[in-house]
Amino acid sequence: MYHNILTQKDNPDCRQIKKAVKLLRMFMKIDMIYFSKQSDGISNLGIITVIISKSSPHYYDEIYEYCWKIFRYFDEFSFLFYDRFWVKEEIGYGNPYFFLHCNDDTLIYSKPKEKCLFEIGEIDCEDFIKEAKKRFDADTAESNVVGRDLKYHINNGNHLMSAYTIHQQLRYLFISVSWFLTGEYIPSHSIAEQQEHLSGFCKRLGSLFDYEIREEWSVLEQLECARGTVQYNHKIDPLTQESVEFARAKLDLLKTETDKLFNDCIEKTRQIFEGYGNR
């Protein structure tokens, strides 16, 4: 059953949305599909969020492995897959993604007589936002704890430990942003992979280190190598002060963007609550 103006013929995304929905339904058992876009132009891609049926033989995160051809064909969309249990659990943690991207305004397909994903009217706005801030503060605190010795390493000219510390801080911040911008995060220790994961949801952070600019990508590779040296005793060329300073500037930028994006999400979530009469 199709819903929403997004699936009507005069919508510019209509044709591709319907094609994507048709293919997805051929390959898996689905309860609901939502289509949304990030606000404020932080990404040009549409986001298709799929809620997998309880009767699906595949766990939702297994789907990424065998649906990559669909993702490649519809490269104007980013795809995310969840089940009801995950959504319920994440709403309990105050994850704003599902309020912003899985609501009545973004629903484009559901099975006949399928119950709604969650009832906004049954959730207390202030309690939800309190939980969201609690989780966000915990994630950012991880980055701050890891970085407590960064100034010490920099002042002592220890470029290796400076680069490693920055690498770890970047990872925790990427995980934090992924949580509220995509509804989940990937545990990868690679900054390149963390950045790639976000590229379909926030173009600014998806190109924090621009792979098309040789100097920027070289610094990212040095950070990755620093982790390999500290954790696995890999051999690398000596790091430079210039590379550390450049990486630290990127870290400061990510901190600023992370705070701004989270606050924007919270404000939009609050507006949704108010639209439903929740206070």
Side-chain angles (χ1 to χ4, degrees):
M1 181 183 299
Y2 287 94
H3 304 266
N4 205 306
I5 192 172
L6 292 168
T7 59
Q8 295 180 9
K9 291 182 179 180
D10 59 348
N11 185 280
D13 295 306
C14 169
R15 184 176 180 182
Q16 288 298 88
I17 289 174
K18 286 195 171 184
K19 280 185 178 180
V21 170
K22 183 178 180 180
L23 277 175
L24 290 168
R25 291 178 60 207
M26 288 173 59
F27 283 96
M28 63 196 75
K29 294 184 177 181
I30 293 171
D31 284 349
M32 296 174 172
I33 301 177
Y34 298 86
F35 178 85
S36 57
K37 288 190 175 182
Q38 296 285 19
S39 59
D40 301 328
I42 67 174
S43 175
N44 295 325
L45 298 181
I47 302 171
I48 293 181
T49 306
V50 181
I51 307 301
I52 300 301
S53 174
K54 186 177 181 180
S55 61
S56 171
H58 302 285
Y59 193 55
Y60 68 88
D61 62 352
E62 297 174 339
I63 291 169
Y64 294 97
E65 297 180 12
Y66 68 82
C67 284
W68 61 269
K69 288 185 178 180
I70 297 178
F71 307 153
R72 179 177 293 180
Y73 181 77
F74 295 101
D75 59 1
E76 69 269 57
F77 301 143
S78 294
F79 292 85
L80 291 168
F81 298 86
Y82 301 104
D83 59 22
R84 284 179 174 272
F85 177 80
W86 178 272
V87 174
K88 181 179 179 180
E89 190 173 61
E90 285 299 307
I91 287 177
Y93 294 141
N95 194 328
Y97 175 85
F98 299 100
F99 274 81
L100 299 175
H101 299 278
C102 301
N103 53 58
D104 291 345
D105 293 333
T106 61
L107 180 65
I108 57 173
Y109 169 81
S110 70
K111 290 195 312 185
K113 299 181 181 180
E114 187 66 26
K115 293 182 179 179
C116 61
L117 193 56
F118 55 88
E119 291 285 356
I120 295 179
E122 296 177 358
I123 301 172
D124 182 88
C125 173
E126 294 307 318
D127 287 346
F128 181 86
I129 290 176
K130 180 180 178 181
E131 287 300 317
K133 290 181 177 179
K134 179 180 176 182
R135 169 65 181 266
F136 177 76
D137 289 344
D139 285 345
T140 52
E142 290 278 3
S143 178
N144 292 333
V145 169
V146 167
R148 62 190 173 190
D149 294 328
L150 177 58
K151 187 177 292 186
Y152 172 81
H153 294 315
I154 289 176
N155 290 339
N156 283 277
N158 191 336
H159 302 326
L160 173 61
M161 286 306 301
S162 297
Y164 174 69
T165 301
I166 291 170
H167 179 284
Q168 295 300 288
Q169 286 190 270
L170 287 168
R171 176 176 178 265
Y172 279 113
L173 287 173
F174 271 125
I175 285 174
S176 176
V177 178
S178 292
W179 176 71
F180 64 81
L181 277 191
T182 76
E184 63 177 352
Y185 66 88
I186 60 171
S188 173
H189 288 267
S190 166
I191 300 304
E193 291 180 5
Q194 290 287 349
Q195 181 173 284
E196 173 64 23
H197 176 64
L198 272 173
S199 62
F201 305 91
C202 180
K203 57 187 177 183
R204 295 196 300 272
L205 300 189
S207 59
L208 183 68
F209 292 90
D210 193 334
Y211 73 91
E212 294 184 347
I213 300 176
R214 182 179 178 182
E215 292 78 8
E216 291 201 13
W217 202 250
S218 174
V219 172
L220 175 58
E221 289 176 335
Q222 289 176 62
L223 295 179
E224 305 278 34
C225 289
R227 181 181 77 88
T229 297
V230 173
Q231 294 185 353
Y232 304 107
N233 202 30
H234 293 167
K235 301 295 182 182
I236 61 170
D237 294 331
L239 295 160
T240 66
Q241 181 179 343
E242 290 76 14
S243 294
V244 170
E245 290 176 350
F246 184 87
R248 190 180 188 185
K250 291 292 188 181
L251 173 62
D252 291 340
L253 176 59
L254 181 56
K255 287 179 179 179
T256 300
E257 288 290 331
T258 299
D259 287 342
K260 181 180 183 301
L261 288 167
F262 178 72
N263 289 329
D264 287 348
C265 283
I266 290 301
E267 179 57 31
K268 292 179 176 64
T269 301
R270 193 183 296 275
Q271 291 172 9
I272 290 176
F273 271 113
E274 292 176 352
Y276 279 81
N278 297 39
R279 293 286 192 274

